[in-house]
Amino acid sequence: MFNKILIANRGEIACRVAATCRRLGIRTVAVYSDADANARHVALCDEAVHIGGAAARESYLRGDHIIEMAKATGAQAIHPGYGFLSENDGFADACAAAGLVFIGPPASSIRAMGSKSAAKRLMEEAAVPLVPGYHGEDQDPALLRHEADRIGYPVLLKASAGGGGKGMRVVEASEGFEAALASVQREASASFGDDRVLVEKYLTRPRHIEIQVFADTHGNCVYLFERDCSVQRRHQKVLEEAPAPGMSEERRRAMGEAAVAAAQAVGYVGAGTVEFIANQDGSFYFMEMNTRLQVEHPVTEMITGQDLVEWQLRVASGEPLPLKQDQLRIHGHALEARVYAENPDKGFLPSTGTLRYLRTPAAVTFALGHDGDGPAGVRIDSGVREGDTISPYYDPMIAKLIVWGRDREEALARMAQALAEYHVVGLSTNIAFLQRLVTSQAFRTADLDTGLIERNQAALFPPSAQVGTETIALAVAALVDAETRARRVDPADAHSPWQNAGAWRLNGDASSQFRLRTSEGETLASLRSDGGKQWLTVGDQTVPFRATTHGGGYALDLGARTVKGSTHLDGESLYVFSGAQQTRLEVIDPLAHAGTADAEGGKLVAPMPGRIIAVMVQAGAVIGKGDPLIVMEAMKMEHTLTAPADGVVQEVLYAIGDQVQDGAQLVTLEDVVA
Ligand code: ADP
Ligand code: ADP
Ligand code: MG
């Protein structure tokens, strides 16, 4: 086994590889670009080397430079992760030439599978079933069109060198062929520097089912079952699961054996994935082989209990595969959701920015989850922490959220729960979309095919919902809570601190108003207490209101309804998280900063006309900057005026119940002499 490896990647996969190395006692060297100096993967590795500018071609794609760094740091092997250099046969060769182990297949296998067309020709010889189509060398447009006519429409035109869902067009009829061909060729030469295409029968309502294979240098090759990755947008995976719903033992074996045959046909070694496209009747065809560890490998780890990165390291160091085919078993069900910084409502446009607030479900970063109900039921693979940025330079993935359950239903319930507890502020994410997806009728009943998202537009992209009373109630709970904390009431006094300590209480039966701006306009909410009970009014609706703290958030009893959720106050924006729904509200507080602004020169003045409803200090009190001094009621709202600086109260000029004028001096202060 290796003593030290260099991880030629970033983000979650670099972190994930580092975690296994740590467990196995292998030292790790991280590489990082200008944009990643403070990245999580750098912190997790034992050593780190700066390799260049933020753009991938100036850093993570500089194979020669990375090889130099591996040699300089004394690493014996390079793990390429996925993306970047992972499927670059030239890089694999260069590693070998430099005396380094490339943790991946031989360069010849990468080359053989690199062109989808050439791969299909090889698969044909190995008797692996293929989608009817044309994958020849001759690229004469007339011939291609003739082939498309022969195959029958609709057909799919694919860039032979393609990947990542790019360079693909569906052609519905012969008339549209030429224009589609020109556009695929343009995209293919721009993205892959190679304009060759292949033509395939376009299957309607197919499923994407892929097989994880593993081979060693001793001639062993096994399959670690299948993953269903049918839920896609723009031909890219969104949700993945294992095992595939509805898979029979017989078909699993047939697909597994076909995948092993495909791998063996190219002399494969290491981790690879053979992607199949399957008809609803179960017939399946080879699509392509990805000669690397796949993004969605964790679902396979969860159901097999095997660490695939450990397998990669063992195989790369010459050991035989840890298990034989008949020792591999499927336990339970696993789901993975890709949490992206993107905006599903704007065509999944990537979003960039700082993760200003990040709360994730209780999870383990690394555990293989088939031990029942343990914490291993939820796993998060992520390369970022709160405060990190999602930059425009790399993939906008925030994390992979992986859950395990004894069956699909349990896994689904865990996923829904975990998504509800995944809170991000600072950029748009697909979390609420993922939640709608996993709870949709189509996904719950495993009515899977690659058109699932398109077909369920109405359920998955609902018009933005009105901000409901529940959300407003959670916002009110948070604002009262914040107010209470600002007053330094000992929260140990009661489970529900604000129930006993709200300022309005000081005035007997009283009410407190909250003005909130939502996407639909302004909402006025009022909380009234009388006879030991509280009532919340939002619009023309009044409900009982009882709040308790609950796991970092609030549990509200609104009479007929109970609501759970949590909040995050970021300046004047209040984020309410309930279900996987995130709502942003602006807290309208015209007096927010008034107390401080107008309180220069040793005095505290009323920022507008109003009534004094609480006085927290007396003459002689020593106060610290920000301490609450007086509460005023003005414009139907309460406002706490705080100390502008450290000091001592000289005199309080008004008492509770007094009406004061705009600009009236309320308290005189003496600065503390240091
Ligand atoms: P990439 O290299 O971009 O991953 P693939 O060949 O794996 O390209 O195809 C990506 C996706 O496109 C598949 O998962 C599937 O959804 C869709 N697709 C590919 N081939 C076909 C086909 N013949 N018929 C219908 N859909 C297809
Ligand atoms: P898979 O077929 O394994 O699901 P994808 O094709 O969806 O994989 O994703 C591979 C892509 O991930 C690469 O093409 C690259 O754009 C991106 N990528 C590469 N490295 C990283 C990383 N460390 N973190 C996030 N994304 C990455
Ligand atoms: Mg693919």
Side-chain angles (χ1 to χ4, degrees):
M1 189 46 95
F2 309 112
N3 298 321
K4 191 193 258 192
I5 71 160
L6 180 143
I7 303 172
N9 213 302
R10 63 177 304 281
E12 64 90 11
I13 189 62
C15 296
R16 189 255 165 278
V17 171
T20 292
C21 289
R22 167 144 311 186
R23 191 168 58 71
L24 298 177
I26 300 171
R27 284 183 66 80
T28 47
V29 182
V31 294
Y32 64 94
S33 70
D34 286 346
D36 284 336
N38 299 311
R40 180 164 186 261
H41 78 274
V42 173
L44 286 184
C45 288
D46 299 306
E47 294 169 46
V49 188
H50 174 246
I51 48 164
R57 64 173 186 288
E58 292 171 19
S59 48
Y60 300 106
L61 289 172
R62 286 179 62 192
D64 47 351
H65 188 43
I66 288 174
I67 286 172
E68 266 172 48
M69 292 303 139
K71 285 174 35 190
T73 53
Q76 298 149 307
I78 297 186
H79 194 301
Y82 53 74
F84 300 134
L85 297 165
S86 62
E87 293 180 282
N88 185 318
D89 55 320
F91 179 69
D93 274 334
C95 286
L100 293 162
V101 176
F102 173 77
I103 302 173
S108 57
S109 306
I110 302 178
R111 251 186 309 273
M113 289 296 184
S115 154
K116 291 184 206 280
S117 305
K120 288 181 83 172
R121 291 197 291 272
L122 274 171
M123 293 303 111
E124 210 160 27
E125 286 164 29
V128 177
L130 298 181
V131 188
Y134 170 79
H135 42 262
E137 281 289 358
D138 192 341
Q139 296 283 303
D140 173 29
L143 171 87
L144 292 172
R145 180 169 178 168
H146 172 76
E147 288 294 333
D149 292 345
R150 179 184 61 80
I151 296 161
Y153 295 90
V155 299
L156 185 62
L157 274 173
K158 268 189 204 177
S160 298
K166 274 198 185 146
M168 275 196 260
R169 288 284 179 293
V170 180
V171 191
E172 300 290 349
S174 193
E175 300 78 68
F177 188 84
E178 261 153 62
L181 175 63
S183 113
V184 169
Q185 286 173 330
R186 258 197 316 275
E187 191 170 322
S189 32
S191 301
F192 314 110
D194 177 345
D195 71 354
R196 283 174 295 174
V197 302
L198 60 85
V199 191
E200 269 180 12
K201 177 85 189 156
Y202 184 67
L203 305 186
T204 48
R205 306 203 58 170
R207 281 166 70 174
H208 173 120
I209 298 180
E210 58 186 35
I211 305 287
Q212 175 71 54
V213 294
F214 237 104
D216 63 19
T217 48
H218 304 271
N220 303 304
C221 185
V222 300
Y223 58 92
L224 289 94
F225 316 110
E226 76 280 4
R227 294 184 285 259
D228 190 314
C229 314
S230 300
V231 182
Q232 304 182 344
R233 51 146 173 81
R234 279 196 250 102
H235 302 303
Q236 282 198 288
K237 300 157 188 169
V238 178
L239 280 179
E240 298 106 342
E241 62 184 301
M247 178 70 103
S248 69
E249 272 310 322
E250 203 185 344
R251 182 153 295 124
R252 173 169 295 132
R253 193 170 328 107
M255 292 183 83
E257 285 168 3
V260 166
Q264 283 173 333
V266 296
Y268 205 79
V269 175
T273 295
V274 180
E275 295 189 332
F276 292 102
I277 189 123
N279 276 314
Q280 295 292 329
D281 69 6
S283 54
F284 60 90
Y285 309 102
F286 172 86
M287 213 164 21
E288 65 164 342
M289 181 168 186
N290 291 325
T291 52
R292 55 174 157 89
L293 192 67
Q294 205 100 333
V295 172
E296 58 275 21
H297 75 276
V299 293
T300 300
E301 297 188 317
M302 297 294 257
I303 62 157
T304 58
Q306 302 303 312
D307 179 333
L308 298 192
V309 171
E310 179 177 347
W311 280 45
Q312 285 190 298
L313 294 164
R314 294 199 179 286
V315 166
S317 63
E319 294 179 30
L321 291 178
L323 294 177
K324 303 217 167 351
Q325 191 65 55
D326 61 10
Q327 293 174 301
L328 286 160
R329 295 267 179 289
I330 296 178
H331 307 266
H333 200 96
L335 293 170
E336 174 181 282
R338 299 189 188 194
V339 178
Y340 278 115
E342 66 180 15
N343 192 336
D345 294 329
K346 289 190 183 148
F348 298 96
L349 199 71
S351 112
T352 54
T354 302
L355 294 156
R356 286 212 308 278
Y357 174 79
L358 178 66
R359 288 294 173 279
T360 57
V364 280
T365 309
F366 258 104
L368 306 164
H370 49 80
D371 57 348
D373 283 327
V378 178
R379 161 175 163 182
I380 296 174
D381 283 16
S382 180
V384 291
R385 303 152 297 194
E386 185 171 270
D388 287 350
T389 49
I390 300 292
S391 74
Y393 302 110
Y394 317 109
D395 191 284
M397 194 196 277
I398 297 171
K400 301 187 305 204
L401 179 57
I402 306 119
V403 299
W404 180 88
R406 280 163 296 192
D407 52 25
R408 189 171 192 267
E409 209 175 317
E410 187 176 70
L412 273 172
R414 274 200 183 147
M415 180 60 90
Q417 176 71 28
L419 285 167
E421 292 169 7
Y422 214 110
H423 301 161
V424 177
V425 168
L427 31 73
S428 308
T429 75
N430 63 343
I431 294 170
F433 172 77
L434 289 170
Q435 181 73 298
R436 291 192 292 272
L437 205 47
V438 298
T439 55
S440 70
Q441 164 85 2
F443 190 72
R444 273 194 295 112
T445 58
D447 182 14
L448 303 174
D449 70 84
T450 58
L452 185 143
I453 291 178
E454 295 253 299
R455 212 176 31 259
N456 292 281
Q457 295 275 337
L460 298 176
F461 301 93
S464 67
Q466 274 211 332
V467 178
T469 306
E470 284 93 343
T471 302
I472 301 291
L474 284 165
V476 167
L479 293 173
V480 177
D481 193 13
E483 181 84 2
T484 309
R485 283 171 207 271
R487 278 160 215 257
R488 303 227 177 107
V489 171
D490 180 3
D493 281 354
H495 294 296
S496 169
W498 55 91
Q499 282 214 352
N500 305 318
W504 53 95
R505 291 250 163 200
L506 301 176
N507 222 19
D509 289 353
S511 81
S512 187
Q513 259 81 31
F514 303 89
R515 270 170 69 206
L516 299 162
R517 189 176 295 122
T518 69
S519 53
E520 292 120 48
E522 246 175 70
T523 298
L524 190 69
S526 72
L527 190 61
R528 185 166 53 83
S529 50
D530 73 60
K533 284 208 169 121
Q534 298 192 86
W535 303 88
L536 175 73
T537 304
V538 182
D540 54 8
Q541 237 197 329
T542 296
V543 294
F545 180 91
R546 230 184 78 80
T548 44
T549 50
H550 171 82
Y554 306 105
L556 307 183
D557 180 353
L558 303 179
R561 280 167 294 183
T562 57
V563 187
K564 281 180 193 152
S566 62
T567 60
H568 172 66
L569 192 58
D570 185 41
E572 260 121 66
S573 297
L574 179 65
Y575 294 85
V576 178
F577 307 98
S578 177
Q581 200 58 47
Q582 171 177 338
T583 311
R584 174 178 160 176
L585 304 162
E586 295 299 321
V587 183
I588 306 170
D589 185 355
L591 310 187
H593 311 292
T596 321
D598 290 345
E600 277 144 26
K603 59 184 187 179
L604 189 74
V605 299
M608 50 170 54
R611 196 165 57 97
I612 305 292
I613 59 170
V615 176
M616 277 94 153
V617 286
Q618 295 173 334
V622 178
I623 53 169
K625 182 172 183 204
D627 282 353
L629 304 182
I630 282 194
V631 181
M632 279 183 68
E633 187 184 63
M635 291 176 66
K636 295 189 180 169
M637 295 176 69
E638 287 188 18
H639 297 283
T640 303
L641 308 183
T642 58
D646 293 351
V648 176
V649 175
Q650 208 167 49
E651 201 178 351
V652 178
L653 302 165
Y654 290 92
I656 291 176
D658 287 348
Q659 205 58 49
V660 296
Q661 292 307 308
D662 184 10
Q665 185 172 353
L666 306 176
V667 176
T668 52
L669 306 166
E670 273 173 20
D671 284 350
V672 177
V673 182

